[in-house]
Amino acid sequence: MRGKTVTALAITATLTLLLGSNPANAKKNNTEKLYDFDEKVHYHQTKLDDNNYQLTIQSDDYPHFKNQSVFLLRHANRLCRDNTFMLKVTGGVQEYEQMPTKPRAYQPPLTVLLQCETEPNKD
């Protein structure tokens, strides 16, 4: 009996933690510092209004840039709840060199404005 109670409490605590850390519900004009465990990306998210967000993805090592790009598309789709969205990159796109011959200079964070399109009202 005691084992079942401990297991149930552990499952409840885990679910509460997962539900409480949903990054898709940012507060308006509040910048949140977050981490995506799937793509291993550190980012800041600011909700400008119901359909607009600013995302700032922190620079990382050179090969990690493709993970940041995949994260950006998946996260934008999640924030817009599978609706059409538009991304506007405002800075920080890294250059791609297959075999860099010199040390790579510091890259600024990838900064993106995300605009979620809403479906027109049917009257």
Side-chain angles (χ1 to χ4, degrees), residues 14 20 22-23 26 30 34 38 40 42 49 59 77 93-94 96 98 109 112-113 115-116 121:
T14 303
N22 184 0
N30 184 23
L34 303 165
D38 294 332
K40 298 176 178 62
H42 290 275
D49 60 37
S59 295
N77 191 53
V93 175
Q94 298 181 15
Y96 179 76
Q98 187 172 354
V112 178
L113 292 176
Q115 180 180 1
C116 302
N121 293 335

Side-chain angles (χ1 to χ4, degrees), residues 25-108:
N25 295 324
K27 294 179 182 176
K28 189 173 179 180
N29 292 323
N30 184 23
T31 300
E32 298 176 296
K33 184 176 181 180
L34 303 165
Y35 181 75
D36 182 86
F37 289 95
D38 294 332
E39 299 298 333
K40 298 176 178 62
V41 172
H42 290 275
Y43 65 100
H44 295 161
Q45 175 176 300
T46 305
K47 184 173 184 177
L48 304 174
D49 60 37
D50 288 340
N51 297 319
N52 294 294
Y53 298 86
Q54 179 175 350
L55 301 171
T56 304
I57 301 172
Q58 300 304 304
S59 295
D60 205 343
D61 60 353
Y62 189 72
H64 194 232
F65 183 69
K66 67 180 180 179
N67 294 45
Q68 296 171 351
S69 303
V70 170
F71 159 77
L72 181 61
L73 293 173
R74 289 180 179 166
H75 190 65
N77 191 53
R78 185 179 326 128
L79 285 173
C80 293
R81 294 175 177 81
D82 293 326
N83 290 326
T84 306
F85 59 87
M86 180 175 58
L87 295 169
K88 180 179 181 182
V89 178
T90 59
V93 175
Q94 298 181 15
E95 293 182 13
Y96 179 76
E97 296 178 33
Q98 187 172 354
M99 300 292 283
T101 56
K102 57 186 175 190
R104 187 171 70 95
Y106 169 76
Q107 294 290 327

